[in-house]
Amino acid sequence: MVYVRKSVWANGGGFDDPLLYWYAIGVSALQKRGLNDNTSWRFMAAIHGIDITSSDGSLWQQYGYYTPGEPLPSQADQDLYWNQCQHGSWYFLPWHRGYIWSIEGLVRAEIIKAGGPKDWAMPYWNYSDQKNPQALLLPPAFSATTMPDGSANPLYVAQRYGLGSTPIVLPASDVTLGALSATQFVGLKVGASAGLGGGKTGFSHNGIQTGELESKPHNIVHVDIGGQNDAGPGLMADPDIAGLDPIFWLHHANIDRLWDVWNKSSATHTNPTDPAWLNGPQDRKFVVPNVDGSPYSYAPKDMVDTTSPNLNYTYDEFVVATAVSSVLTSNVGEKTLSQSQEPELAQEPELVGANASVVNVTGKMSSSNLALDAQTSALLSVNPTQNLQAKLAQPARDRYFLNLENIKAAKDGFVIDVYMELPEGADHTGRMDLFCGSIGLFGVRKASQPDGAHGGAGVTEVMDVTNVVAGLAQNGALNKGEFSVNLVPRITLTDDAKVTVERISLYKQSA
């Protein structure tokens, strides 16, 4: 049997759908097991991330998921399984595929024990489905506090703060699928796109530069659901607690589906063939529990074909070749190519502009000016008698990438919208012509810790701003040889968030 993963909205998104009713039954069974049981809900969440030793008290303790003194797994099991999620890495997609497969099997086993369907499979939340007017809404089965019989709903968690709305509704701009226009899985060039799946790394629990699919919609949806309040981040907003939220798995099932969508949409959309990717990192192996609790070690090469005997699942819906262009973003500030693919860029990216100092992101908006080099300034300067398109005519259009380098923060759970040349006091929501993209700060807290694997380097976000640069140049806004970059947090940032950007730079890449 090949298990078929179905949409959470296939039958209304509530407990009238047996798919979600039985998910709740399975989750409840796993939640009743101790943290020292490697088939328990909390143990599985700890595989993604856990911190129960912080001197200032961990979020696990604060939110009631860990009680000091309760039985823990052996140190050997903690070292083997815990704090394993891959972020900012070309291993992001294959690692999470194995992780979802593991929890799916554990939940299914409990469903079958309870008399449920033997073919149950993890649902996915397709929040980008433009045919479904409810797609952006948190499915009702996750917002209800009780089950149909009046018992507590195991799919509900209190720490979903979102953007302040009840129920949670995702912004449409956060779930656009520009990532699917990436031509390559791996980004190899500093300063430009990290590709669909991320840059080449070793084992990367807190990576520096995310791939396009990880950046958006993955990171931003995490933050849009988790959010922040005075108590701290919601579960989904911090990698150390995200796996505790039952909606986590449906979000990641959708990200996994989108990887399959990308693979199926073009014969050139291929996964890496580099042995370093196929065989996985050598410094630490990927391990999840089998249904019987025994360890299952895997590498990316085991995750390539979802219908292979070791995985044995598929999805009920794909977006294939001719439809990819219809799901790409329509935002002016992002990729809006007439074709479904971005052009192949062979030359190394060239640094053509940068700001002069670290940016402290506080309050409602922070800005910094980037000075262009003389050659680029001359290229992008026009006067009323010039035709910019003729001036920039080349065999293939140059592309410009805005880099926000080494973003650091003391907290996760914020979204920052990025603009260029936003007029002072302007309503930024009406200036999509100046919109570059959004950053979901998910995982930045641990990536900023000096004792971390990357020495507290933080994370780097790269945005394709070709259309914004072209529009500014056409309007003469770049004639002065510099431009401003405007960082607009969705909620006012207080000083204790300690969000900084070490450098903002502009790179040009030509065919």
Side-chain angles (χ1 to χ4, degrees):
M1 176 192 301
V2 175
Y3 298 98
V4 180
R5 294 182 180 174
K6 301 176 182 178
S7 168
V8 69
W9 283 109
N11 292 293
F15 286 125
D16 288 340
D17 187 348
L19 179 67
L20 297 175
Y21 171 81
W22 286 110
Y23 181 46
I25 297 299
V27 169
S28 178
L30 299 186
Q31 288 176 343
K32 293 172 182 175
R33 297 175 183 170
L35 182 56
N36 60 338
D37 183 336
N38 69 352
T39 64
S40 72
W41 187 259
R42 289 185 294 156
F43 187 98
M44 288 298 296
I47 292 176
H48 194 267
I50 183 172
D51 177 8
I52 55 176
T53 60
S54 294
S55 59
D56 58 351
S58 77
L59 291 169
W60 277 64
Q61 293 181 45
Q62 180 180 332
Y63 293 155
Y65 290 97
Y66 170 69
T67 302
E70 72 172 285
L72 292 174
S74 68
Q75 190 61 52
D77 270 357
Q78 292 181 44
D79 293 342
L80 178 66
Y81 288 105
W82 286 3
N83 290 313
Q84 195 183 145
C85 70
Q86 298 297 288
H87 288 287
S89 167
W90 63 345
Y91 298 130
F92 166 74
L93 289 169
W95 183 86
H96 281 85
R97 178 166 283 179
Y99 186 44
I100 305 162
W101 169 86
S102 177
I103 194 79
E104 180 180 52
L106 294 173
V107 172
R108 182 189 298 123
E110 293 307 312
I111 289 171
I112 294 172
K113 285 180 187 177
K118 295 180 180 180
D119 63 349
W120 183 91
M122 183 67 69
Y124 62 91
W125 180 13
N126 181 9
Y127 28 70
S128 305
D129 184 0
Q130 296 179 0
K131 302 184 298 295
N132 177 9
Q134 294 182 299
L136 298 169
L137 176 70
L138 181 73
F142 295 84
S143 57
T145 56
T146 60
M147 294 282 286
D149 64 359
S151 61
N153 178 11
L155 305 185
Y156 173 82
V157 296
Q159 297 85 16
R160 288 192 197 118
Y161 306 130
L163 302 174
S165 64
T166 304
I168 290 173
V169 179
L170 305 177
S173 62
D174 287 353
V175 297
T176 52
L177 298 179
L180 297 185
S181 67
T183 56
Q184 296 179 333
F185 184 99
V186 184
L188 302 177
K189 298 177 171 64
V190 175
S193 167
L196 178 89
K200 185 174 182 178
T201 69
F203 186 95
S204 181
H205 185 52
N206 300 298
I208 295 176
Q209 184 177 341
T210 60
E212 291 194 41
L213 191 56
E214 182 181 357
S215 180
K216 184 179 185 179
H218 171 264
N219 285 356
I220 295 179
V221 168
H222 264 283
V223 176
D224 284 344
I225 297 171
Q228 279 275 350
N229 79 354
D230 293 340
L235 296 188
M236 279 284 282
D238 188 305
D240 275 356
I241 49 178
L244 293 164
D245 190 332
I247 199 64
F248 170 96
W249 305 95
L250 280 72
H251 171 38
H252 270 279
N254 191 54
I255 296 298
D256 181 70
R257 184 184 67 90
L258 291 174
W259 177 17
D260 244 7
V261 167
W262 183 80
N263 280 147
K264 288 178 167 61
S265 65
S266 171
T268 63
H269 285 182
T270 57
N271 297 319
T273 56
D274 187 333
W277 185 82
L278 292 170
N279 298 321
Q282 299 305 299
D283 43 341
R284 184 177 175 183
K285 298 298 183 182
F286 303 153
V287 185
V288 292
N290 285 302
V291 171
D292 63 3
S294 62
Y296 171 68
S297 297
Y298 65 97
K301 64 184 177 183
D302 305 315
M303 300 291 112
V304 171
D305 180 6
T306 69
T307 62
S308 62
N310 58 310
L311 293 176
N312 210 31
Y313 73 87
T314 188
Y315 290 95
D316 66 347
E317 180 181 350
F318 295 101
V319 181
V320 292
T322 58
V324 169
S325 60
S326 70
V327 297
L328 297 184
T329 177
S330 60
N331 289 345
V332 174
E334 299 185 66
K335 286 174 282 189
T336 54
L337 304 178
S338 58
Q339 64 270 42
S340 64
Q341 307 296 332
E342 60 189 25
E344 193 76 36
L345 297 172
Q347 294 186 14
E348 291 293 324
E350 174 190 0
L351 177 66
V352 297
N355 70 339
S357 60
V358 173
V359 181
N360 293 298
V361 187
T362 58
K364 295 183 178 180
M365 186 173 80
S366 299
S367 300
S368 185
N369 287 339
L370 272 69
L372 296 169
D373 64 27
Q375 182 178 2
T376 305
S377 180
L379 178 66
L380 296 177
S381 297
V382 297
N383 61 55
T385 64
Q386 288 180 302
N387 183 310
L388 182 67
Q389 296 301 323
K391 185 177 181 181
L392 299 182
Q394 295 187 27
R397 183 174 162 203
D398 289 339
R399 302 201 72 80
Y400 290 88
F401 296 91
L402 189 70
N403 287 241
L404 283 80
E405 303 173 20
N406 305 108
I407 305 166
K408 302 177 185 179
K411 297 180 180 180
D412 284 308
F414 302 104
V415 176
I416 299 172
D417 295 322
V418 182
Y419 296 82
M420 284 184 180
E421 285 289 289
L422 191 64
E424 186 174 351
D427 178 7
H428 60 276
T429 60
R431 296 307 307 267
M432 297 308 294
D433 57 320
L434 305 177
F435 177 64
C436 302
S438 301
I439 302 167
L441 296 185
F442 177 73
V444 67
R445 175 183 62 84
K446 290 183 78 171
S448 303
Q449 294 172 349
D451 58 351
H454 301 286
V459 299
T460 292
E461 288 279 347
V462 178
M463 302 173 179
D464 186 333
V465 294
T466 305
N467 292 326
V468 180
V469 168
L472 290 172
Q474 184 69 64
N475 294 330
L478 300 182
N479 288 358
K480 56 186 181 296
E482 66 176 17
F483 60 91
S484 66
V485 173
N486 320 104
L487 309 178
V488 184
R490 298 261 178 96
I491 62 174
T492 301
L493 289 185
T494 55
D495 290 341
D496 63 345
K498 299 180 180 178
V499 180
T500 61
V501 183
E502 188 169 303
R503 187 176 78 156
I504 306 178
S505 56
L506 185 70
Y507 282 78
K508 182 178 74 172
Q509 191 175 20
S510 304

